[in-house]
Amino acid sequence: MTTDEMIVRLKSAQVERRFKHTLGVAAEAVRLAPRFGVDPERAYIAGLLHDCAKNFTDEQVKDYCERYGVTLDPYCKTEKALIHGFLGATVARVDYGIEDQEILDAIYYHTTGRPNMTPMEKLIYIADMTEPGREIEQSQQIRELVEIDIDEALIYAIGCSIKHVIRKGNLIHPDSIFARNDLIENRRRSS
Ligand SMILES: [Fe+2]
Ligand SMILES: [Fe+2]
């Protein structure tokens, strides 16, 4: 499937606001790709598809899980916002023909992060928070940090997500904590 065909499909699958965000993340991923040492074309695809399973109905989620043998992470039972990342990797593979495992992993982990993130995973995590349409007050701070130190930007961005989850009174996915700890431990080792 070409990226133009992906865009047509995403446009019909997403509400306008989400589709705008999708295009914003794809463009931001391309802009930041050289900084992360990631191929811009692959970054573009990962950005386009990162939210391809967002706003799926419960029926759709059930249907994809049954048809493709997806076992959702136990945290998804209560934290519905996590579903679209984990399921998105499967949707990108079966509906959009993506076989590039790094792209699929970037989609899978874009809401939680994980320890030892690849450059592509870091890129999509950051681009999701810094695309121009994203109205979170910390976006500018993350953008500035990326120019100085990618991992510092990521530590800050994950911290912002964790605080957001705490404010909402929701469960924190352990991968987010492990991701942040891993980055901080690496920083200590290298300083
Ligand atoms: Fe997302
Ligand atoms: Fe997103």
Side-chain angles (χ1 to χ4, degrees):
M1 187 183 277
T2 66
T3 50
D4 283 347
E5 287 166 341
M6 289 177 196
I7 289 172
V8 169
R9 183 160 184 157
L10 287 163
K11 191 173 181 1
S12 69
Q14 295 179 333
V15 297
E16 201 182 329
R17 192 177 60 85
R18 176 66 41 194
F19 180 63
K20 219 174 141 235
H21 165 72
T22 287
L23 296 181
V25 173
E28 181 74 345
V30 171
R31 185 182 77 82
L32 292 173
R35 178 84 187 99
F36 285 72
V38 171
D39 169 42
E41 277 180 41
R42 294 168 65 230
Y44 183 60
I45 294 171
L48 278 180
L49 297 180
H50 84 286
D51 274 345
C52 69
K54 189 89 178 180
N55 304 128
F56 269 25
T57 62
D58 290 349
E59 274 306 296
Q60 277 175 299
V61 171
K62 194 164 165 271
D63 181 51
Y64 273 87
C65 287
E66 280 174 7
R67 256 198 296 160
Y68 302 106
V70 179
T71 308
L72 286 177
D73 182 290
Y75 282 85
C76 292
K77 281 202 177 70
T78 52
E79 307 313 310
K80 303 284 183 197
L82 295 173
I83 292 174
H84 80 282
F86 298 139
L87 191 62
T90 297
V91 175
R93 184 171 55 81
V94 299
D95 287 352
Y96 294 85
I98 302 300
E99 287 170 6
D100 184 326
Q101 193 58 45
E102 271 192 41
I103 293 177
L104 296 176
D105 286 341
I107 297 168
Y108 192 90
Y109 293 106
H110 87 269
T111 49
T112 60
R114 65 160 162 174
N116 215 0
M117 288 169 82
T118 64
M120 176 75 90
E121 289 166 24
K122 291 178 181 179
L123 169 63
I124 297 304
Y125 193 97
I126 295 281
D128 195 21
M129 294 177 81
T130 61
E131 64 98 358
R134 185 81 154 187
E135 283 161 10
I136 60 167
E137 55 190 86
Q138 300 90 348
S139 289
Q140 190 53 33
Q141 175 77 11
I142 299 169
R143 271 187 215 112
E144 286 168 20
L145 279 172
V146 167
E147 299 306 323
I148 303 164
D149 186 321
I150 288 172
D151 284 356
E152 281 305 318
L154 207 61
I155 290 167
Y156 181 74
I158 293 170
C160 292
S161 298
I162 290 174
K163 282 186 210 158
H164 177 72
V165 170
I166 290 171
R167 270 197 299 275
K168 287 172 71 177
N170 293 343
L171 295 179
I172 303 168
H173 195 284
D175 276 352
S176 300
I177 296 168
F178 294 143
R180 183 173 176 278
N181 285 355
D182 176 60
L183 290 159
I184 290 173
E185 279 168 356
N186 284 342
R187 179 176 65 184
R188 285 188 182 149
R189 265 196 295 273
S190 62
S191 66

